Amino acid sequence: MIRWCDGDMLGGLQIVVLRARKDLAFFIFKGICMECVKPVKIAFVDDHPVLLSGICQLFSSNDEFQVVSVGSCANDVVDIARSMKPDIMVIDLNMPGRVLEAITTVVNDHKTTRLVAFTASGNIDTAIATLEAGVLGYVLKGSTLDELTDAIRQVHKGETYMSPRVAANVVAGLQVNARARTVPAVRFSSREEDVLRFLLQGCTNKEIALSLSLSEKTVKHYMTVLMQKLDVRNRVEVVLAAQELASSGGLTGAGTNVQRH
């Protein structure tokens, strides 16, 4: 959250605070009202009260985030998504109720809320099942606060994040699963193929947008289209499907190098 005192100077231009509060701030910029970026609305669901209280205090003290709700079971995951509509929900996997079912419900019915699993389980099958259910982030408890914060930021941008300690094994497991199913015969536009080739190089949405002179919003739209065409649920599965297409010659120019920014 940007903060300036009345009468501050920025680049020689007078800035006066018109109004400020936790969720929104307005500034007069040479007589023009400018809206500051809203904090990320975040909810935490975990059945360990001490951990839940501590993590909420840490994120509440950061003006980049606004903690809007907490819960302690799978039913709370769905209820919070419906009633509070957080941007990000950080959830434990080992708590009362059918957590994977709750994840699927939120992913299908509350698409503005993105999910981060925050769990003690490093089990690869659990991680794969969770990712395939639709979470975009998988962070192990025991990770640093910086890592969890970084994961939340990336997921908020529509990226996928996995703790390094499980990432390699999860990708290997997903590749095995991908080989077990046939990638559907799909026709891509030239721009969709461009995006796929960048994904195969490990580029982020921002890097793809810069290289193709597109907005990040447009790249996210292409990602949605690609997931629909390939009948997959997340970015990781898009990449794996693209790898299968490239190896079978179904993606022209798949070996083309791309410019990283």
Side-chain angles (χ1 to χ4, degrees):
M1 180 70 69
I2 304 172
R3 291 179 174 175
W4 290 296
C5 296
D6 291 356
D8 274 1
M9 300 294 291
L10 182 67
L13 298 176
Q14 185 79 20
I15 297 176
V16 180
V17 176
L18 176 64
R19 179 161 59 91
R21 64 179 191 267
K22 174 65 177 174
D23 62 324
L24 195 60
F26 291 94
F27 302 93
I28 295 178
F29 199 9
K30 264 196 168 181
I32 300 173
C33 184
M34 300 184 66
E35 183 177 341
C36 188
V37 176
K38 294 180 181 179
V40 177
K41 293 189 298 182
I42 188 168
F44 294 95
V45 185
D46 196 298
D47 65 340
H48 293 83
V50 174
L51 184 149
L52 188 62
S53 175
I55 202 168
C56 286
Q57 288 181 23
L58 288 169
F59 278 88
S60 293
S61 67
N62 186 339
D63 285 343
E64 183 182 352
F65 304 102
Q66 179 186 6
V67 179
V68 296
S69 189
V70 297
S72 60
C73 65
N75 287 342
D76 289 342
V77 172
V78 177
D79 290 343
I80 290 170
R82 182 186 301 115
S83 61
M84 302 304 297
K85 298 178 173 57
D87 301 310
I88 300 291
M89 198 180 319
V90 180
I91 61 175
D92 185 20
L93 298 180
N94 186 24
M95 58 184 177
R98 299 180 177 180
V99 178
L100 285 180
E101 186 177 303
I103 289 171
T104 302
T105 298
V106 173
V107 169
N108 291 335
D109 298 342
H110 306 282
K111 298 184 185 299
T112 59
T113 296
R114 291 170 175 157
L115 301 176
V116 175
F118 186 47
T119 177
S121 176
N123 181 274
I124 303 307
D125 290 337
T126 299
I128 290 173
T130 306
L131 289 164
E132 290 186 333
V135 303
L136 291 181
Y138 195 93
V139 183
L140 292 177
K141 290 180 178 178
S143 301
T144 64
L145 177 62
D146 285 343
E147 182 181 340
L148 178 59
T149 303
D150 187 43
I152 290 170
R153 289 182 181 130
Q154 289 195 38
V155 169
H156 186 242
K157 293 188 295 183
E159 307 285 350
T160 299
Y161 183 93
M162 285 184 285
S163 285
R165 281 180 286 168
V166 297
N169 289 334
V170 167
V171 170
L174 285 169
Q175 287 174 330
V176 171
N177 289 353
R179 293 189 194 104
R181 62 173 179 257
T182 303
V183 177
V186 180
R187 294 180 65 87
F188 299 108
S189 69
S190 58
R191 184 60 84 193
E192 289 164 359
E193 286 209 0
D194 288 339
V195 172
L196 283 172
R197 288 195 291 271
F198 277 85
L199 287 171
L200 286 172
Q201 296 288 329
C203 294
T204 64
N205 285 355
K206 184 176 182 179
E207 290 170 334
I208 295 172
L210 288 170
S211 294
L212 295 178
S213 299
L214 301 171
S215 68
E216 283 192 65
K217 183 177 181 179
T218 300
V219 174
K220 289 177 183 178
H221 168 72
Y222 280 119
M223 287 298 303
T224 300
V225 172
L226 289 170
M227 282 188 278
Q228 290 172 346
K229 285 190 173 184
L230 291 167
D231 192 26
V232 298
R233 291 190 173 188
N234 55 57
R235 185 188 187 91
V236 174
E237 291 186 356
V238 170
V239 174
L240 294 172
Q243 289 174 339
E244 291 295 311
L245 287 170
S247 64
S248 64
L251 185 59
T252 59
T256 303
N257 289 327
V258 294
Q259 185 67 39
R260 301 296 295 271
H261 289 263

